[in-house]
Amino acid sequence: MGFKYSQTPIFSLPFLVFLTLFHLSCSEDITNFVYKGCANQKFVDPSGVYSQTLKTLFTSLISQSSTAKFYKTSSGQGPSAISGLFQCRGDLENGDCNRCVSNAHQLFAKLCGPTVAARIHLSGCYIRYEVSGFKVAGATEVLFKVCGSTRVRGSGFDQKLGSALGLVEKGVVSGNGYFGSVFENINVVGQCEGDLVGGDCVSCVQSAEQKAKSYCGGFDMGQVFLQQCYVTYFYRPDGVPETLPSAGKKT
């Protein structure tokens, strides 16, 4: 059984995507919307079994987000089974993770409706689910990407960016799949989905880095989200800003 996602970027909100995780402000809103991915197919559910199964799944995910930053489970049986997971950003406390997951859950009905698979990504977490038989994307398939609107002047930026992104590859190994740092005024962040570990995590992050440099090289910001990992960077020549930029250039 095969299904297709319809991934629709939305830029109506300030673009606060993963740029505040260096604790720049205590007022950070980890529930800012980043993107959605909705399958084209809707549930055929005259008996309501899918709706109830999905409700049970969400209840389990929300509950687990109080004590874990990643959790994967399934609900229901046979062809009506639905699997799902949540992933919170690696620097979040349990309470913030739970708040983020709870907010993401509330957006599914509004943004995707009763689809057979969907994904909602907020600045601090994401949730995804799919019915039994849904063919998920490969670990390194690009789901969403966006670049900054300003080109960096002067030479040497590409080399700095390469060095900054290179830190992510090493950092996700020692940081249990998550890494965030600042190098030469470049904020870099990378994270793998919780069950993607070791060399598989590094390979995914490397793929995301290559795509970030390919799509956004030379621009002051790059955000690349793959199926099972993401990498983001933001360059500020005069240091870290007090406020974050609005949406950049779509790619």
Side-chain angles (χ1 to χ4, degrees):
M1 183 186 296
F3 304 95
K4 293 183 178 179
Y5 268 117
S6 172
Q7 284 123 5
T8 306
I10 294 179
F11 297 100
S12 58
L13 299 178
F15 191 66
L16 307 184
V17 183
F18 296 113
L19 301 181
T20 52
L21 70 153
F22 300 104
H23 305 289
L24 306 182
S25 169
C26 61
S27 62
E28 171 194 355
D29 189 351
I30 56 174
T31 63
N32 280 301
F33 178 79
V34 180
Y35 74 91
K36 66 174 182 177
C38 309
N40 294 326
Q41 291 78 10
K42 303 293 185 180
F43 283 122
V44 179
D45 193 24
S47 66
V49 62
Y50 282 111
S51 298
Q52 183 57 48
T53 301
L54 186 58
K55 181 179 179 180
T56 301
L57 175 72
F58 280 140
T59 298
S60 177
L61 294 176
I62 293 170
S63 175
Q64 291 295 323
S65 67
S66 296
T67 57
K69 295 179 183 177
F70 170 79
Y71 183 70
K72 186 175 184 179
T73 188
S74 61
S75 180
Q77 297 180 345
S80 63
I82 304 176
S83 59
L85 61 83
F86 72 82
Q87 173 73 69
C88 284
R89 212 173 63 198
D91 63 335
L92 295 190
E93 300 293 338
N94 289 339
D96 288 332
C97 179
N98 176 256
R99 179 166 67 89
C100 188
V101 170
S102 297
N103 276 266
H105 155 253
Q106 295 172 11
L107 295 176
F108 278 96
K110 178 181 178 180
L111 298 181
C112 290
T115 59
V116 298
R119 181 183 185 116
I120 299 293
H121 205 135
L122 305 184
S123 60
C125 66
Y126 64 85
I127 306 177
R128 66 180 177 93
Y129 74 83
E130 55 271 346
V131 299
S132 176
F134 183 86
K135 185 178 180 180
V136 299
T140 59
E141 182 171 330
V142 177
L143 301 183
F144 180 78
K145 59 185 183 293
V146 66
C147 301
S149 57
T150 302
R151 285 195 175 275
V152 180
R153 297 180 180 276
S155 60
F157 175 69
D158 288 344
Q159 183 176 357
K160 289 181 181 179
L161 178 59
S163 297
L165 291 174
L167 295 176
V168 179
E169 297 177 24
K170 299 177 182 178
V172 292
V173 175
S174 58
N176 294 318
Y178 169 82
F179 179 78
S181 187
V182 180
F183 176 83
E184 297 285 348
N185 291 336
I186 302 175
N187 292 359
V188 288
V189 179
Q191 186 169 25
C192 293
E193 205 162 83
D195 56 357
L196 195 69
V197 297
D200 291 335
C201 176
V202 172
S203 295
C204 189
V205 166
Q206 287 175 335
S207 180
E209 291 172 359
Q210 292 167 3
K211 290 175 172 63
K213 289 186 284 187
S214 175
Y215 297 137
C216 304
F219 286 93
D220 60 348
M221 180 175 66
Q223 316 268 344
V224 175
F225 300 88
L226 309 185
Q227 172 73 351
Q228 288 192 280
C229 69
Y230 66 81
V231 166
T232 76
Y233 77 85
F234 175 63
Y235 174 65
R236 185 75 174 184
D238 55 349
V240 177
E242 294 182 2
T243 58
L244 296 172
S246 298
K249 167 179 92 99
K250 288 189 293 181
T251 61

